[in-house]
Amino acid sequence: MSYLSGDGDVSFSGSYGLTSIKANEFVWEGKTKVSQLIWKSSYVSTFNADLKIELPKDWYLNARGTIGLGGDGHMVDYDWIVPGADWSDRSRHPDTRLNHYLVGAIEAGRQVISYDGTDLSLGAGFKYTDVKWTAWGGSYVYTFNRFRDSRGDFDPKEKGISYRQSWPVPYLGVNLSHNEGNWTFAGSLQGGLAIDAYGTDDHWVRNLRFYDYYYTRPSASVSASAAYALRENTALFVSGSFDKMFRARADTKAVDTTTGAHSLYKDGAGGDYRSMTVSVGLRGTF
Protein backbone atom coordinates (compact mmCIF):
# COMPACT_ATOMS: atom_id res chain seq x y z
CA MET A 1 0.00 0.00 0.00
CA SER A 2 1.19 3.54 -0.75
CA TYR A 3 0.16 6.88 0.72
CA LEU A 4 0.88 10.40 -0.50
CA SER A 5 0.71 13.54 1.60
CA GLY A 6 -1.71 16.26 0.61
CA ASP A 7 0.94 18.49 -0.94
CA GLY A 8 2.71 15.55 -2.60
CA ASP A 9 6.05 16.30 -0.91
CA VAL A 10 6.10 13.19 1.31
CA SER A 11 5.08 9.69 0.24
CA PHE A 12 5.15 6.33 1.98
CA SER A 13 4.68 2.92 0.45
CA GLY A 14 4.69 -0.63 1.75
CA SER A 15 4.58 -3.97 -0.06
CA TYR A 16 4.81 -7.71 0.43
CA GLY A 17 7.03 -9.96 -1.61
CA LEU A 18 8.86 -13.26 -1.90
CA THR A 19 12.65 -13.38 -1.93
CA SER A 20 15.25 -15.97 -2.92
CA ILE A 21 18.64 -15.63 -1.19
CA LYS A 22 21.93 -17.41 -1.87
CA ALA A 23 25.35 -16.94 -0.29
CA ASN A 24 28.59 -18.83 -0.85
CA GLU A 25 31.23 -19.30 1.84
CA PHE A 26 34.74 -20.41 0.81
CA VAL A 27 37.94 -21.64 2.43
CA TRP A 28 41.13 -21.26 0.36
CA GLU A 29 44.71 -22.44 0.57
CA GLY A 30 46.44 -20.11 -1.86
CA LYS A 31 44.59 -20.56 -5.17
CA THR A 32 43.15 -23.91 -4.09
CA LYS A 33 39.55 -24.13 -2.88
CA VAL A 34 39.39 -26.63 -0.01
CA SER A 35 35.86 -25.97 1.25
CA GLN A 36 32.62 -24.40 0.06
CA LEU A 37 29.36 -23.94 1.92
CA ILE A 38 26.29 -23.01 -0.13
CA TRP A 39 23.53 -21.31 1.87
CA LYS A 40 20.08 -20.82 0.31
CA SER A 41 16.59 -19.69 1.25
CA SER A 42 13.59 -19.62 -1.07
CA TYR A 43 10.12 -18.12 -0.67
CA VAL A 44 11.21 -15.77 2.11
CA SER A 45 8.31 -13.48 3.07
CA THR A 46 9.57 -9.93 2.77
CA PHE A 47 7.92 -6.77 4.03
CA ASN A 48 9.12 -3.59 2.37
CA ALA A 49 8.70 0.07 3.33
CA ASP A 50 9.70 3.17 1.38
CA LEU A 51 9.66 6.81 2.50
CA LYS A 52 10.37 9.58 -0.02
CA ILE A 53 10.60 13.31 0.66
CA GLU A 54 10.57 15.78 -2.24
CA LEU A 55 12.88 18.73 -1.54
CA PRO A 56 13.18 22.15 -3.25
CA LYS A 57 14.81 22.48 -6.67
CA ASP A 58 13.99 18.87 -7.67
CA TRP A 59 16.06 17.26 -4.92
CA TYR A 60 14.76 14.25 -2.98
CA LEU A 61 15.57 12.04 0.00
CA ASN A 62 14.54 8.38 -0.03
CA ALA A 63 14.72 5.76 2.75
CA ARG A 64 13.93 2.07 2.26
CA GLY A 65 13.78 -0.95 4.53
CA THR A 66 13.11 -4.68 4.18
CA ILE A 67 12.55 -7.45 6.73
CA GLY A 68 12.50 -11.12 5.64
CA LEU A 69 10.96 -14.02 7.56
CA GLY A 70 10.71 -17.79 7.17
CA GLY A 71 11.31 -19.41 3.81
CA ASP A 72 12.57 -22.80 2.69
CA GLY A 73 16.25 -23.02 3.67
CA HIS A 74 19.01 -25.47 2.71
CA MET A 75 22.78 -25.71 3.13
CA VAL A 76 25.38 -28.00 1.53
CA ASP A 77 28.98 -28.19 2.78
CA TYR A 78 31.71 -29.55 0.44
CA ASP A 79 35.35 -30.32 1.23
CA TRP A 80 38.21 -31.36 -1.05
CA ILE A 81 41.18 -33.45 0.11
CA VAL A 82 42.78 -33.57 -3.36
CA PRO A 83 42.80 -30.20 -5.21
CA GLY A 84 41.02 -30.36 -8.56
CA ALA A 85 39.48 -33.78 -7.85
CA ASP A 86 35.86 -34.51 -7.00
CA TRP A 87 34.69 -33.56 -3.49
CA SER A 88 35.80 -35.89 -0.71
CA ASP A 89 33.35 -34.82 2.04
CA ARG A 90 29.82 -33.50 1.88
CA SER A 91 27.10 -32.74 4.34
CA ARG A 92 23.52 -31.74 3.55
CA HIS A 93 21.34 -29.71 5.91
CA PRO A 94 17.73 -29.39 4.70
CA ASP A 95 16.72 -27.97 8.10
CA THR A 96 18.49 -24.65 7.60
CA ARG A 97 16.64 -21.78 9.24
CA LEU A 98 16.82 -18.11 8.38
CA ASN A 99 17.63 -16.25 11.59
CA HIS A 100 17.23 -12.83 10.02
CA TYR A 101 17.24 -10.97 6.72
CA LEU A 102 17.48 -7.18 6.91
CA VAL A 103 18.09 -4.56 4.24
CA GLY A 104 18.15 -0.81 4.75
CA ALA A 105 19.08 2.06 2.41
CA ILE A 106 19.07 5.84 2.30
CA GLU A 107 19.55 7.85 -0.88
CA ALA A 108 19.73 11.52 -1.80
CA GLY A 109 19.44 12.70 -5.38
CA ARG A 110 18.04 15.11 -7.91
CA GLN A 111 15.71 14.89 -10.88
CA VAL A 112 17.70 15.95 -13.93
CA ILE A 113 15.21 15.33 -16.77
CA SER A 114 11.43 15.62 -16.90
CA TYR A 115 9.86 15.51 -20.36
CA ASP A 116 6.61 14.15 -21.81
CA GLY A 117 5.87 11.82 -18.88
CA THR A 118 9.45 10.61 -18.47
CA ASP A 119 11.55 11.46 -15.42
CA LEU A 120 15.24 10.72 -14.90
CA SER A 121 17.04 11.23 -11.60
CA LEU A 122 20.54 10.58 -10.29
CA GLY A 123 21.30 9.67 -6.69
CA ALA A 124 23.93 8.58 -4.21
CA GLY A 125 23.29 6.49 -1.14
CA PHE A 126 24.26 3.86 1.38
CA LYS A 127 22.81 0.34 1.59
CA TYR A 128 23.26 -2.28 4.29
CA THR A 129 22.37 -5.96 3.92
CA ASP A 130 22.54 -8.44 6.81
CA VAL A 131 21.58 -12.12 6.56
CA LYS A 132 22.09 -15.06 8.92
CA TRP A 133 21.27 -18.78 8.81
CA THR A 134 21.62 -21.74 11.19
CA ALA A 135 21.84 -25.35 9.94
CA TRP A 136 20.42 -28.13 12.13
CA GLY A 137 20.88 -31.90 11.81
CA GLY A 138 21.42 -33.27 8.30
CA SER A 139 23.37 -36.12 6.73
CA TYR A 140 27.00 -36.64 5.72
CA VAL A 141 29.33 -38.52 3.39
CA TYR A 142 32.95 -38.39 4.63
CA THR A 143 36.29 -39.78 3.54
CA PHE A 144 38.26 -41.50 6.31
CA ASN A 145 40.15 -44.65 5.29
CA ARG A 146 38.77 -44.84 1.74
CA PHE A 147 37.10 -42.42 -0.65
CA ARG A 148 33.62 -41.54 0.73
CA ASP A 149 33.64 -44.59 3.01
CA SER A 150 31.60 -43.10 5.88
CA ARG A 151 27.92 -42.18 5.75
CA GLY A 152 25.47 -41.19 8.45
CA ASP A 153 23.12 -38.65 9.95
CA PHE A 154 23.50 -35.87 12.49
CA ASP A 155 21.15 -35.50 15.43
CA PRO A 156 18.21 -33.43 14.06
CA LYS A 157 18.16 -31.48 17.36
CA GLU A 158 21.85 -30.60 17.03
CA LYS A 159 22.79 -27.08 15.94
CA GLY A 160 25.64 -27.53 13.48
CA ILE A 161 26.75 -24.27 11.82
CA SER A 162 25.56 -20.66 11.83
CA TYR A 163 26.63 -18.20 9.14
CA ARG A 164 26.14 -14.46 8.87
CA GLN A 165 27.08 -12.00 6.12
CA SER A 166 27.03 -8.22 6.50
CA TRP A 167 27.47 -5.99 3.46
CA PRO A 168 27.78 -2.16 3.84
CA VAL A 169 27.65 -0.57 0.36
CA PRO A 170 27.93 3.11 -0.66
CA TYR A 171 26.52 3.44 -4.18
CA LEU A 172 25.55 5.66 -7.10
CA GLY A 173 22.20 5.18 -8.80
CA VAL A 174 20.10 6.05 -11.84
CA ASN A 175 16.29 6.10 -11.61
CA LEU A 176 13.90 6.26 -14.57
CA SER A 177 10.10 6.40 -14.69
CA HIS A 178 7.56 6.86 -17.49
CA ASN A 179 3.80 7.48 -17.43
CA GLU A 180 1.68 6.23 -20.31
CA GLY A 181 -2.05 6.59 -19.74
CA ASN A 182 -3.00 4.51 -16.70
CA TRP A 183 0.40 2.81 -16.68
CA THR A 184 3.55 3.85 -14.84
CA PHE A 185 6.81 2.02 -15.54
CA ALA A 186 9.89 2.55 -13.40
CA GLY A 187 13.38 1.14 -13.08
CA SER A 188 16.61 1.78 -11.23
CA LEU A 189 20.23 0.72 -11.49
CA GLN A 190 22.76 0.99 -8.68
CA GLY A 191 26.49 0.33 -8.64
CA GLY A 192 28.65 0.44 -5.56
CA LEU A 193 31.48 -1.02 -3.52
CA ALA A 194 31.12 -3.39 -0.58
CA ILE A 195 33.44 -1.81 2.01
CA ASP A 196 34.30 -3.39 5.38
CA ALA A 197 32.00 -6.34 4.69
CA TYR A 198 32.42 -9.41 6.85
CA GLY A 199 31.18 -12.94 7.51
CA THR A 200 30.83 -14.83 10.80
CA ASP A 201 30.82 -18.64 10.89
CA ASP A 202 30.04 -20.55 14.10
CA HIS A 203 30.82 -24.29 14.24
CA TRP A 204 28.89 -25.15 17.39
CA VAL A 205 30.02 -28.75 17.85
CA ARG A 206 33.71 -27.83 17.47
CA ASN A 207 33.42 -24.64 19.57
CA LEU A 208 34.99 -22.60 16.77
CA ARG A 209 34.10 -19.20 15.36
CA PHE A 210 35.53 -17.79 12.14
CA TYR A 211 35.55 -14.09 11.31
CA ASP A 212 35.99 -13.38 7.58
CA TYR A 213 37.00 -9.82 6.69
CA TYR A 214 36.22 -9.34 2.99
CA TYR A 215 38.34 -7.26 0.66
CA THR A 216 36.51 -4.43 -1.11
CA ARG A 217 34.49 -5.71 -4.07
CA PRO A 218 31.88 -4.30 -6.50
CA SER A 219 28.16 -4.67 -5.98
CA ALA A 220 25.17 -4.11 -8.26
CA SER A 221 21.42 -3.79 -7.90
CA VAL A 222 18.65 -3.49 -10.48
CA SER A 223 14.90 -3.12 -10.00
CA ALA A 224 11.82 -2.54 -12.13
CA SER A 225 8.11 -2.03 -11.54
CA ALA A 226 4.87 -1.61 -13.45
CA ALA A 227 1.74 -0.03 -11.97
CA TYR A 228 -1.76 0.25 -13.41
CA ALA A 229 -4.13 2.90 -12.09
CA LEU A 230 -7.46 1.20 -11.36
CA ARG A 231 -8.95 4.57 -10.46
CA GLU A 232 -7.73 8.04 -9.53
CA ASN A 233 -6.23 7.12 -6.16
CA THR A 234 -5.62 3.35 -6.46
CA ALA A 235 -3.11 1.40 -8.55
CA LEU A 236 -2.18 -2.26 -8.84
CA PHE A 237 1.58 -2.87 -9.12
CA VAL A 238 4.18 -5.58 -9.51
CA SER A 239 7.91 -5.12 -8.95
CA GLY A 240 11.10 -7.13 -9.06
CA SER A 241 14.67 -6.58 -7.90
CA PHE A 242 18.04 -8.29 -8.05
CA ASP A 243 21.03 -7.65 -5.78
CA LYS A 244 24.55 -9.00 -6.22
CA MET A 245 27.70 -8.80 -4.10
CA PHE A 246 30.51 -10.10 -6.25
CA ARG A 247 32.85 -12.79 -4.97
CA ALA A 248 35.45 -11.46 -2.54
CA ARG A 249 38.49 -12.98 -0.87
CA ALA A 250 38.93 -12.46 2.86
CA ASP A 251 41.32 -12.66 5.77
CA THR A 252 40.14 -15.00 8.52
CA LYS A 253 40.46 -15.09 12.27
CA ALA A 254 39.63 -18.47 13.88
CA VAL A 255 38.68 -18.33 17.58
CA ASP A 256 38.28 -21.20 20.05
CA THR A 257 35.14 -20.08 21.88
CA THR A 258 36.02 -22.10 25.01
CA THR A 259 39.61 -20.87 25.52
CA GLY A 260 39.73 -17.65 23.50
CA ALA A 261 42.81 -18.84 21.57
CA HIS A 262 42.87 -17.55 18.00
CA SER A 263 44.74 -17.92 14.71
CA LEU A 264 44.96 -15.63 11.68
CA TYR A 265 44.84 -16.81 8.05
CA LYS A 266 45.75 -14.24 5.41
CA ASP A 267 43.59 -14.51 2.27
CA GLY A 268 42.17 -17.79 3.58
CA ALA A 269 38.44 -17.33 2.97
CA GLY A 270 35.87 -15.67 0.74
CA GLY A 271 32.21 -15.19 -0.01
CA ASP A 272 29.54 -13.78 -2.28
CA TYR A 273 25.82 -13.02 -2.13
CA ARG A 274 22.76 -12.55 -4.31
CA SER A 275 19.03 -12.06 -3.79
CA MET A 276 15.97 -11.81 -6.03
CA THR A 277 12.60 -10.40 -4.93
CA VAL A 278 9.18 -10.20 -6.55
CA SER A 279 6.52 -8.03 -4.89
CA VAL A 280 2.88 -7.26 -5.63
CA GLY A 281 0.40 -4.90 -4.05
CA LEU A 282 -1.78 -1.82 -4.22
CA ARG A 283 -0.88 1.85 -4.15
CA GLY A 284 -3.24 4.52 -2.91
CA THR A 285 -3.15 8.29 -2.34
CA PHE A 286 -4.85 10.58 0.11
Side-chain angles (χ1 to χ4, degrees):
M1 186 66 70
S2 176
Y3 301 97
L4 188 67
S5 66
D7 56 11
D9 290 337
V10 179
S11 62
F12 174 80
S13 65
S15 64
Y16 170 80
L18 294 174
T19 298
S20 171
I21 311 167
K22 179 182 178 181
N24 282 298
E25 176 187 4
F26 301 97
V27 178
W28 299 89
E29 292 182 358
K31 295 183 179 180
T32 301
K33 182 174 66 175
V34 297
S35 182
Q36 179 178 359
L37 290 80
I38 305 170
W39 299 83
K40 294 181 180 180
S41 280
S42 302
Y43 306 110
V44 176
S45 292
T46 49
F47 301 88
N48 313 291
D50 190 299
L51 176 67
K52 187 172 184 180
I53 302 174
E54 301 288 349
L55 302 173
K57 298 183 179 180
D58 295 326
W59 287 89
Y60 68 84
L61 184 65
N62 193 15
R64 300 182 298 275
T66 296
I67 297 176
L69 303 171
D72 182 10
H74 191 270
M75 190 271 278
V76 184
D77 182 357
Y78 293 98
D79 294 311
W80 287 264
I81 294 177
V82 178
D86 203 357
W87 58 265
S88 55
D89 303 272
R90 183 190 67 193
S91 62
R92 296 179 182 270
H93 306 269
D95 185 12
T96 295
R97 307 171 193 177
L98 184 67
N99 296 97
H100 65 249
Y101 173 61
L102 304 170
V103 183
I106 187 166
E107 176 179 321
R110 187 175 187 272
Q111 180 178 290
V112 294
I113 295 176
S114 181
Y115 177 76
D116 196 23
T118 299
D119 297 323
L120 176 69
S121 62
L122 304 177
F126 178 83
K127 186 174 184 179
Y128 180 76
T129 302
D130 196 309
V131 59
K132 181 181 178 180
W133 292 271
T134 297
W136 296 76
S139 61
Y140 64 84
V141 178
Y142 288 163
T143 296
F144 288 128
N145 299 315
R146 298 184 309 277
F147 187 64
R148 298 180 185 172
D149 60 342
S150 180
R151 299 171 182 265
D153 298 301
F154 300 110
D155 183 344
K157 297 181 181 179
E158 181 179 76
K159 181 166 62 172
I161 302 174
S162 295
Y163 184 55
R164 176 186 179 187
Q165 285 187 344
S166 299
W167 298 93
V169 176
Y171 68 86
L172 299 176
V174 179
N175 307 294
L176 180 68
S177 67
H178 178 73
N179 295 319
E180 191 69 40
N182 288 342
W183 288 95
T184 299
F185 303 95
S188 68
L189 176 65
Q190 299 169 0
L193 293 174
I195 297 174
D196 291 331
Y198 65 91
T200 307
D201 181 342
D202 281 289
H203 287 248
W204 299 104
V205 178
R206 299 163 58 196
N207 297 313
L208 284 175
R209 175 174 293 172
F210 298 90
Y211 297 95
D212 299 334
Y213 303 101
Y214 300 130
Y215 306 155
T216 299
R217 291 293 292 166
S219 74
S221 177
V222 61
S223 64
S225 67
Y228 183 78
L230 302 175
R231 48 184 146 178
E232 183 178 357
N233 62 348
T234 305
L236 177 69
F237 77 91
V238 60
S239 65
S241 64
F242 176 80
D243 291 293
K244 174 69 175 178
M245 311 297 178
F246 291 90
R247 185 168 301 178
R249 296 290 288 260
D251 297 331
T252 298
K253 180 171 73 172
V255 179
D256 186 319
T257 57
T258 58
T259 67
H262 65 273
S263 302
L264 299 175
Y265 301 94
K266 182 72 174 177
D267 200 26
D272 60 31
Y273 164 91
R274 70 107 178 103
S275 66
M276 294 181 289
T277 300
V278 174
S279 302
V280 296
L282 292 172
R283 291 180 179 144
T285 62
F286 70 97

